[in-house]
Amino acid sequence: MPSIAENVVNNDLCIGCGVCAGICPQQLLVMNFNIHGEYNPFLKQPCSTECGLCMRVCPFNEGNMNETEIGRKLFEKIEGIKYSEETGYYLDSFVGYSPTFRETSASGGMATWLLAKLLEKSVVDYVICVATQDTPEKLFSFQIFEEAESIARSSGSAYYPVELSDMIKTILDKPGRYAITGLPCFIKAIRLATTQNQKLKERITVLIGLVCGQMKSKHYTTYLSELANAGGKLQRVNYRGKSPDKPASNYYFHCINQYGTEGKVFWNDGVSEAFVNRWFTPNACNYCDDVFAELADVSFMDAWLPEYSNDNSGTSLMLVRSHAILNLVHQAIDNDEINVNNIPVDKVIQSQAGVLNVKRKLLSYHLHLASKMNLIAPNKRVNPNKRIGFLNQKEVELKLKMQENSKHFFITRNQTMNIKNVRTIMHPYLKQTKNLRLIKRLTFPIRIVKKYVSIRR
Ligand SMILES: Cc1cc2nc3c(=O)[nH]c(=O)nc-3n(C[C@H](O)[C@H](O)[C@H](O)COP(=O)(O)OP(=O)(O)OC[C@H]3O[C@@H](n4cnc5c(N)ncnc54)[C@H](O)[C@@H]3O)c2cc1C
């Protein structure tokens, strides 16, 4: 039986969710950081049973069901359920914010509001979500909350590796109803695990998804702290600081290092360059086709729409797939507890146009490249395709080079990160990317006319 190490980790397809390590009946796997600052499962001792459970719960193991197949089983029979290829199944879509949690949250604070509500109304006994850990080696981790009052401590988005192995073990040991937050691939791993283990199926009763463009390795945070002039061992970071004089999209990264030095850098002053160009992004993210966390009972995201992104306080979008959650939302709207309205699903899709382009069109080219290079790639709902246009091809190739370079940078530079070195190495790719963007802008009218003509034919 092929192991998780041979099939997934050695092919650089592991996202580090930790579900395999949590569910392993012999507890042979332990989650640790690899040299690239990404979590991987490591074998403590050779596996003698080879039961294959680790493979059956892996979101990047090509033999497992895809999101459409799992989604159909979960949601198809729900009364009033709708489906779109982009979002998967959904009952209703909303836009708005929670006045209580908005200020300290990533977007409109709706995710934190729901977690608090689930505990307050005893819909679940425990919430498992991500909170700061305040140790330099592990700045964030999945943690367990029992009281609605303490949940605000977990607000915000962690662009930092976190893993679920200990939490899965806790759920298996401790009876109760659990809600868990997660990125799309984590939610898929949990859903796969619930098909393999009855206790997990009974105890994990609510899954809360976050729309995801890409994950980041631990080294991304090191890079940002250097950019903010507060490098060294970090004590605490916040990736999504809000400023009254800036639009929601220009949020800032803030950190405090071991000497108490504080650093701050805005999205437009260097964060976006590293984020958008996929520096420090795990390879597995290149093979993801789930934008909206299709297997979650509810998915949250930023309202990246012109009518909301100028509001510096942040606004959430919400896709609901469960009647129980829908009822909680309606009750809270009626009680004026949250400032939330319906929004057409087309608008929700529009808000993630960039991520959809990456996870559909550009993914098809990634798959083409993988097959050309004889690399193992998971089966996706998108087929390999090289005909995505020359400019798009170039974009993928340049970003792949930057992604690869950022991954090896740390090792080759004696575990220190020097911003000047990073920028020197990235400079030629950044220059080409800039030129590419210029050509794209200049040729935009021609491409629109071409598209129009081809539709008319
Ligand atoms: C890596 C990453 C990439 C993302 N990419 C996009 C994107 O491309 N487009 C988009 O619209 N939105 C994206 N999001 C989601 C967005 O950042 C917000 O989380 C979302 O809008 C919810 O905002 P909120 O104010 O309602 O959440 P909050 O009220 O701030 O609550 C967020 C909840 O999520 C939990 N959480 C934070 N980070 C993680 C994590 N890594 N894994 C599991 N749980 C976590 C927290 O514990 C908290 O409970 C991403 C989030 C992450 C972590």
Side-chain angles (χ1 to χ4, degrees):
M1 172 82 62
S3 71
I4 196 97
E6 282 163 44
N7 266 30
V8 181
V9 180
N10 293 352
N11 289 319
D12 201 8
L13 291 174
C14 177
I15 197 63
C17 68
V19 174
C20 58
I23 205 170
C24 172
Q26 298 196 79
Q27 310 221 336
L28 291 181
L29 295 165
V30 60
M31 296 304 290
N32 274 325
F33 281 112
N34 65 18
I35 45 170
H36 305 304
E38 299 163 6
Y39 272 122
N40 279 165
F42 290 87
L43 257 182
K44 286 190 274 189
Q45 60 193 74
C47 174
S48 55
T49 57
E50 298 191 349
C51 70
L53 192 53
C54 50
M55 292 294 287
R56 294 200 293 280
V57 301
C58 175
F60 287 93
N61 169 26
E62 66 168 337
N64 292 332
M65 282 189 290
N66 67 34
E67 285 80 350
T68 307
E69 291 158 346
I70 305 172
R72 198 176 298 132
K73 285 182 188 232
L74 289 168
F75 305 121
E76 196 182 41
K77 296 210 171 80
I78 294 179
E79 200 190 332
I81 200 88
K82 291 165 256 183
Y83 179 83
S84 103
E85 231 175 67
E86 291 88 351
T87 61
Y89 290 91
Y90 66 96
L91 277 171
D92 216 342
S93 39
F94 297 92
V95 60
Y97 60 88
S98 151
T100 315
F101 297 111
R102 190 183 202 189
E103 196 182 325
T104 50
S105 285
S107 314
M110 284 305 296
T112 305
W113 167 80
L114 179 65
L115 297 178
K117 189 57 56 186
L118 291 173
L119 287 172
E120 189 190 305
K121 295 257 178 191
S122 293
V123 178
V124 296
D125 305 303
Y126 308 104
V127 160
I128 292 175
C129 59
V130 171
T132 53
Q133 168 126 346
D134 296 347
T135 49
E137 294 315 314
K138 201 185 202 182
L139 288 168
F140 291 87
S141 62
F142 275 103
Q143 293 171 29
I144 197 157
F145 291 82
E146 292 180 52
E147 282 155 20
E149 296 71 40
S150 55
I151 207 83
R153 197 173 74 72
S154 78
S155 292
S157 287
Y159 301 98
Y160 189 89
V162 283
E163 57 87 15
L164 278 164
S165 61
D166 285 344
M167 293 295 130
I168 296 289
K169 287 176 199 161
T170 303
I171 300 169
L172 289 170
D173 283 348
K174 195 169 166 185
R177 294 158 303 159
Y178 293 79
I180 312 181
T181 64
L183 301 175
C185 48
F186 283 54
I187 299 283
K188 181 178 181 185
I190 298 168
R191 288 290 189 200
L192 288 169
T194 59
T195 66
Q196 301 295 319
N197 185 295
Q198 192 57 26
K199 269 189 193 167
L200 293 180
K201 187 174 179 166
E202 284 164 15
R203 294 176 186 177
I204 301 173
T205 51
V206 184
L207 285 178
I208 292 128
L210 303 177
V211 163
C212 178
Q214 56 187 302
M215 279 255 294
K216 290 294 182 191
S217 78
K218 201 175 165 182
H219 300 336
Y220 172 69
T221 302
T222 310
Y223 174 74
L224 294 188
S225 67
E226 291 289 342
L227 203 62
N229 295 317
K233 282 194 175 199
L234 293 173
Q235 287 303 330
R236 180 166 278 230
V237 306
N238 171 18
Y239 298 91
R240 303 273 304 242
K242 298 175 183 181
S243 314
D245 56 338
K246 303 262 195 310
S249 51
N250 194 9
Y251 49 78
Y252 63 83
F253 167 84
H254 175 256
C255 62
I256 304 176
N257 70 13
Q258 69 192 118
Y259 308 110
T261 310
E262 290 192 41
K264 181 171 167 178
V265 57
F266 280 90
W267 173 258
N268 289 348
D269 298 334
V271 179
S272 76
E273 184 177 76
F275 194 89
V276 173
N277 288 314
R278 297 176 85 80
W279 301 1
F280 312 106
T281 301
N283 184 52
C285 295
N286 296 340
Y287 299 106
C288 174
D289 61 12
D290 182 355
V291 176
F292 290 96
E294 294 176 39
L295 304 180
D297 296 299
V298 55
S299 299
F300 291 97
M301 71 211 86
D302 291 284
W304 294 140
L305 293 163
E307 53 272 45
Y308 299 105
S309 47
N310 275 335
D311 185 340
N312 57 61
S313 304
T315 310
S316 305
L317 292 176
M318 205 183 348
L319 269 177
V320 182
R321 304 186 181 90
S322 131
H323 280 291
I325 292 173
L326 198 56
N327 288 340
L328 290 178
V329 173
H330 282 148
Q331 276 170 24
I333 293 174
D334 291 346
N335 297 340
D336 286 333
E337 202 184 302
I338 50 177
N339 196 329
V340 164
N341 294 299
N342 273 115
I343 186 168
V345 78
D346 289 351
K347 281 277 183 186
V348 176
I349 294 170
Q350 189 191 325
S351 80
Q352 303 301 324
V355 184
L356 273 162
N357 183 49
V358 170
K359 293 198 178 190
R360 301 290 149 96
K361 195 183 208 169
L362 305 192
L363 166 61
S364 69
Y365 189 60
H366 270 291
L367 292 167
H368 160 75
L369 289 179
S371 96
K372 209 170 101 179
M373 290 188 274
N374 282 328
L375 297 174
I376 305 281
N379 271 335
K380 291 282 103 184
R381 292 172 291 174
V382 172
N383 291 324
N385 183 12
K386 66 174 175 183
R387 300 171 67 85
I388 61 162
F390 175 75
L391 296 176
N392 287 323
Q393 286 179 350
K394 277 278 147 240
E395 182 186 335
V396 171
E397 288 165 16
L398 278 171
K399 286 185 179 171
L400 263 176
K401 283 191 182 134
M402 288 192 262
Q403 191 179 355
E404 194 55 26
N405 267 300
S406 68
K407 197 164 177 162
H408 294 291
F409 193 81
F410 232 78
I411 318 163
T412 52
R413 303 277 152 180
N414 298 330
Q415 303 293 310
T416 59
M417 191 176 283
N418 178 312
I419 289 290
K420 225 170 137 192
N421 287 340
V422 176
R423 301 206 56 83
T424 309
I425 288 179
M426 294 301 187
H427 179 71
Y429 307 115
L430 288 173
K431 206 170 150 196
Q432 287 179 62
T433 308
K434 207 170 150 196
N435 291 340
L436 202 66
R437 228 175 280 135
L438 188 68
I439 299 170
K440 269 193 172 173
R441 213 173 304 136
L442 293 175
T443 56
F444 183 67
I446 303 170
R447 283 181 286 125
I448 290 288
V449 171
K450 264 185 158 174
K451 204 170 177 182
Y452 178 72
V453 171
S454 76
I455 291 169
R456 295 275 317 235
R457 275 197 201 132

